[in-house]
Amino acid sequence: MTMFRMTLIAGAVLAAGAVQAAEVTTINGAGATFPYPIYAKWAEAYNKETGVKLNYQSIGSGGGVKQIIAKTVDFGASDDALSPEKLAEHGMTQFPAVMGAVVPVVNLAGIEANQLKMDQEVLADIYLGKITKWNDPKIAALNPGVALPDKLISVVRRSDGSGTTAVFTNYLAKISPEWKEKVGEGKAVNWPVGMGGKGNEGVASYVKQIDGAIGYVESAYAKQNKLATVQMKNKAGNYVSVSSKSTAAAAASADWKGATDFYLWLTDAPGADAWPIANQTNILVYKEPNDCARTEAVLKFFDWSWKHGAKMAEELEYVPLPKELVEQVEASWKANIKCEGVAAIIK
């Protein structure tokens, strides 16, 4: 699947005194494909109130980080949070935009959404290439009564530098010592098996086309493409289905106040109902931007989206930031983002 450019339409609510921001007619961003569906929804609604365009390139988290470092966009978007050290190196700050879930999806004749169960060992062994057929005894043991075909498993993974991959491999590294030792984690890894698709869109497309395929995508892509999601065994030992509720249960365990620069992971979270492969997606901006008006426009877009777009997020099975976290994020803006020594205008 070739790279494509996605243009989102958005508008800005201008605060009193934000004279420079009134001149901004287009905000440019690039990065994660994970949050694209909700950014598109937010932007469409935002535009109906005002009229600034958000030109967002859904190119993957790795590309988004590269573009914000190169200062070719107003913000970068990455599911893989940058460490405080990396942020300091480039004079940037980051904040969570929304929380979501990565979910394994399958294409098997007769298998419906959430009918198939997987535990930590089975998922890791499939991506390690140790389980190669759908009727493997380990899969069959978890799914009594389910007609599993004697068919090879076609493993699909990302081909690009991907925050979704960072979340997925972070989870696999937590639950499988063998994965941690042999493969590790990150936006890009040396995959033992599988074919690569570009973006969540590419993985979803391959899984939809290939009988016997398994892949991993952000849950909104599974929903939009009508892909069969699987139930996963979580840290508490319970099988759960992906949903905004189970993602929220994972997010509830996060210690945001104790996380420097909002640097933390939600994978393999405790909790009876927690979805095990959840995480936040992050926005990257400069602490001392070259163009303050453009950065202020970015902040206002997210401020508006959090206050007016919670229902839209939930409809796509994302989890909006709780009010307390929004307040914490906006306090960090005032403390960290300066325009000629003055805190950026967000109200």
Side-chain angles (χ1 to χ4, degrees):
M1 188 173 184
T2 59
M3 183 185 299
F4 59 92
R5 187 180 181 89
M6 296 182 177
T7 300
L8 311 183
I9 306 301
V13 179
L14 301 178
V19 178
Q20 284 185 306
E23 300 172 2
V24 177
T25 58
T26 303
I27 305 167
N28 296 305
T33 63
F34 179 106
Y36 173 71
I38 186 56
Y39 289 176
K41 281 283 188 183
W42 282 346
E44 181 182 5
Y46 197 43
N47 178 248
K48 290 178 181 178
E49 291 201 11
T50 58
V52 173
K53 292 182 179 180
L54 174 60
N55 181 29
Y56 184 74
Q57 300 172 63
S58 179
I59 59 174
S61 296
V65 172
K66 288 178 181 177
Q67 287 211 25
I68 188 63
I69 289 175
K71 300 184 178 181
T72 57
V73 290
D74 302 317
F75 71 91
S78 176
D79 305 325
D80 183 12
L82 270 63
S83 69
E85 293 77 17
K86 188 74 171 178
L87 291 169
E89 178 186 345
H90 294 286
M92 291 191 293
T93 187
Q94 73 187 350
F95 56 89
V98 72
M99 302 174 203
V102 177
V103 59
V105 289
V106 299
N107 181 353
L108 286 172
I111 300 298
E112 299 178 355
N114 303 319
Q115 183 179 0
L116 193 69
K117 293 181 178 178
M118 286 190 182
D119 63 12
Q120 297 92 329
E121 181 182 3
V122 163
L123 183 62
D125 282 355
I126 288 173
Y127 272 85
L128 283 166
K130 296 171 68 175
I131 293 178
T132 60
K133 285 196 170 185
W134 282 111
N135 63 347
D136 185 280
K138 288 185 178 180
I139 301 178
L142 301 177
N143 296 276
V146 177
L148 296 168
D150 182 15
K151 181 183 288 292
L152 288 173
I153 299 173
S154 295
V155 175
V156 184
R157 39 76 175 179
R158 290 285 286 270
S159 61
D160 53 331
S162 158
T164 306
T165 292
V167 175
F168 188 65
T169 57
N170 174 269
Y171 172 69
L172 292 179
K174 283 182 177 178
I175 55 91
S176 169
E178 184 176 1
W179 182 275
K180 183 176 182 178
E181 179 184 351
K182 293 182 177 179
V183 185
E185 60 182 286
K187 291 187 183 73
V189 297
N190 292 320
W191 295 96
V193 294
M195 65 189 76
K198 187 168 182 59
N200 274 280
E201 305 91 346
V203 173
S205 177
Y206 273 140
V207 173
K208 196 169 186 177
Q209 294 172 37
I210 301 171
D211 186 24
I214 183 172
Y216 60 92
V217 296
E218 196 282 322
S219 60
Y221 288 85
K223 187 173 184 178
Q224 289 177 346
N225 289 277
K226 297 181 173 59
L227 298 173
T229 53
V230 307
Q231 289 189 57
M232 284 296 303
K233 189 175 184 179
N234 66 13
K235 191 170 187 175
N238 299 321
Y239 285 95
V240 293
S241 300
V242 68
S243 67
S244 57
K245 183 178 178 181
S246 61
T247 303
S253 67
D255 178 18
W256 291 103
K257 289 185 178 179
T260 303
D261 290 314
F262 301 101
Y263 181 66
L264 54 71
W265 293 91
L266 303 179
T267 51
D268 200 31
D273 301 318
W275 176 253
I277 323 176
N279 214 58
Q280 78 280 7
T281 189
N282 308 280
I283 300 300
L284 303 165
V285 295
Y286 281 92
K287 288 185 174 183
E288 297 183 4
N290 291 336
D291 190 327
C292 290
R294 304 192 72 81
T295 297
E296 288 170 357
V298 171
L299 304 186
K300 285 171 185 157
F301 170 73
F302 286 102
D303 175 73
W304 184 95
S305 298
W306 295 331
K307 290 177 171 59
H308 301 275
K311 185 177 180 181
M312 288 179 265
E314 290 168 351
E315 287 173 350
L316 288 173
E317 296 186 351
Y318 293 93
V319 174
L321 304 189
K323 181 181 178 182
E324 296 78 10
L325 182 53
V326 169
E327 291 173 351
Q328 186 180 343
V329 168
E330 296 192 342
S332 79
W333 292 349
K334 292 177 181 177
N336 294 315
I337 303 174
K338 306 294 183 182
C339 295
E340 298 180 355
V342 178
I345 299 170
I346 59 169
K347 299 295 184 182

